[in-house]
Amino acid sequence: EMITVLAFYVFSRHEIDVAIVEVGLGGRLDATNVISPLVSVITSVGLDHQQYLGSTLADIAREKGGIIKRGVPVVVGQMDTESSKVIEDIASRQNCRTVSHGIAFHSRGDVGSDFSYVGTEMCYDRLRLGLKGRFQIRNASVAIAALECIKGRFPVPPSAIRGGLKSVSYPGRFECVSSEPLVILDGAHNIQALRTLIEEVQLCYHDKRFCFLFGVMQDKTWGPMLSAIEKVAHRVVFTAVNQPRAENPGRLQAAFSRGVSSEVHYGAVSACKQMLTTVNSADVLVVCGSLFLVGEVLPLFQGTYQKLLDCCETSQTEQGN
């Protein structure tokens, strides 16, 4: 709540033209929900934070739908029928126009190619997206649909839309951080996100073996995640980040299939470094299960890890002197 207040204060001080405000958790009871938006956006609904949001997709959709305000249009991404129905009912009661993927707007494209967008008024072809994955094309189309809804208040020229899509980056989301060896980082921390990741990896790298570095938080429903990995993995290393919520990797391995090679390595950074020395050109290393995990290993691929170590060593030397 305090961070949200500080963010709104900064926005006010800088007199920004527009703010894109993402909820922290759920929506209905989230601190960000005090605002009156120009448009509400719900990209997807998945089973996550169930101890707070509810045990079913319908329950979670109801919490996410809490951001819908009376008379404010709501853009809805691709989602299951049950969740979509809940959100449409909320929007109807709030007298809101619902702009849904596959009905009011459409996107078409494939991995590694341009994509097209057809909306209620805007149409674009040969759009180039700076992010990998078919799901990112769907997300990009949701963003364009939101711009359509507010073009009277915040007009964005086609050149800016094209340029923004082409230049966008999203660290830790199906991010290829190394080509030799091939390494993909993705913060997929629930079963829906993990299934999407696996589908995209199989599509893009169907000729590779999949080696996973996996770490997850204790409060996640990680059993189905292990089952999804078991079906495609050549090898799995379970690890834990330096975070109190981190699940014990020994528990993960104990629940894992005996038919897939697996091991436990408690330090996330050292586990990743060890795996980098053992994977080869036939493999793709997929680091996933938690944004905390991605955050810990990302410096290995940014040229900053050694600088951090050098700074630590220098600091320790100065303290010793």
Side-chain angles (χ1 to χ4, degrees):
E1 288 81 2
M2 183 58 70
I3 291 172
T4 301
V5 170
L6 290 172
F8 289 162
Y9 175 70
V10 171
F11 295 164
S12 177
R13 284 284 303 273
H14 285 269
E15 298 181 349
I16 62 169
D17 297 311
V18 63
I20 302 170
V21 180
E22 182 181 12
V23 300
L25 186 68
R28 183 176 65 93
L29 300 177
D30 195 83
T32 59
N33 203 22
V34 299
I35 65 173
S36 297
L38 298 177
V39 60
S40 301
V41 179
I42 302 175
T43 55
S44 63
V45 174
L47 292 174
D48 202 9
H49 304 297
Q50 290 155 275
Q51 67 272 42
Y52 304 111
L53 304 182
S55 59
T56 68
L57 289 174
D59 290 338
I60 295 172
R62 199 166 291 111
E63 292 295 320
K64 288 180 177 286
I67 66 171
I68 299 172
K69 301 295 193 298
R70 179 162 293 278
V72 176
V74 54
V75 177
V76 181
Q78 181 176 301
M79 62 181 62
D80 64 282
T81 303
E82 184 180 22
S83 299
S84 181
K85 178 66 166 55
V86 169
I87 290 168
E88 287 174 4
D89 287 346
I90 296 172
S92 178
R93 292 196 300 270
Q94 294 281 40
N95 194 27
C96 298
R97 178 166 66 100
T98 303
V99 182
S100 299
H101 183 279
I103 301 174
F105 66 98
H106 305 262
S107 58
R108 185 171 301 168
D110 211 338
V111 176
S113 66
D114 296 346
F115 76 100
S116 61
Y117 170 88
V118 177
T120 54
E121 297 179 38
M122 297 179 178
C123 294
Y124 294 97
D125 56 13
R126 296 192 299 277
L127 290 169
R128 179 63 55 87
L129 185 61
L131 304 174
K132 292 177 180 282
R134 292 170 298 178
F135 67 97
Q136 295 292 16
I137 291 175
R138 296 193 294 269
N139 288 340
S141 69
V142 168
I144 300 173
L147 290 177
E148 278 201 80
C149 290
I150 63 172
K151 61 184 177 63
R153 296 281 300 276
F154 188 74
V156 179
S159 59
I161 290 176
R162 290 185 178 276
L165 292 173
K166 185 177 181 180
S167 62
V168 65
S169 66
Y170 193 166
R173 193 70 169 113
F174 204 74
E175 182 182 13
C176 181
V177 292
S178 172
S179 56
E180 295 182 6
L182 185 56
V183 182
I184 302 295
L185 304 187
D186 197 297
H189 58 273
N190 59 42
I191 184 58
Q192 284 80 10
L194 185 64
R195 283 173 178 159
T196 298
L197 169 62
I198 289 173
E199 288 174 5
E200 297 296 338
V201 169
Q202 288 180 303
L203 182 66
C204 294
Y205 308 108
H206 56 87
D207 57 339
K208 301 287 187 180
R209 300 182 304 191
F210 304 130
C211 301
F212 287 83
L213 176 61
F214 183 80
V216 69
M217 299 297 105
Q218 296 172 2
D219 54 357
K220 300 298 180 182
T221 305
W222 45 258
M225 300 174 74
L226 296 185
S227 297
I229 291 174
E230 287 171 358
K231 296 175 183 178
V232 298
H234 169 68
R235 174 190 173 210
V236 181
V237 173
F238 295 106
T239 191
V241 297
N242 186 23
Q243 223 277 352
R245 286 172 53 211
E247 182 60 272
N248 186 320
R251 286 194 65 201
L252 299 175
Q253 187 189 42
F256 195 62
S257 169
R258 292 289 178 257
V260 178
S261 173
S262 68
E263 58 192 89
V264 169
H265 197 126
Y266 279 85
V269 172
S270 60
C272 188
K273 292 171 73 174
Q274 187 270 336
M275 290 194 78
L276 289 173
T277 65
T278 57
V279 294
N280 56 46
S281 60
D283 303 319
V284 53
L285 171 57
V286 182
V287 181
C288 63
S290 168
L291 287 166
F292 292 110
L293 175 59
V294 168
E296 284 199 10
V297 305
L298 185 58
L300 287 172
F301 306 96
Q302 293 180 320
T304 60
Y305 184 69
Q306 189 58 48
K307 294 178 184 178
L308 289 172
L309 289 179
D310 292 341
C311 288
C312 290
E313 290 174 358
T314 301
S315 175
Q316 290 172 355
T317 301
E318 290 174 349
Q319 290 175 5
N321 292 336

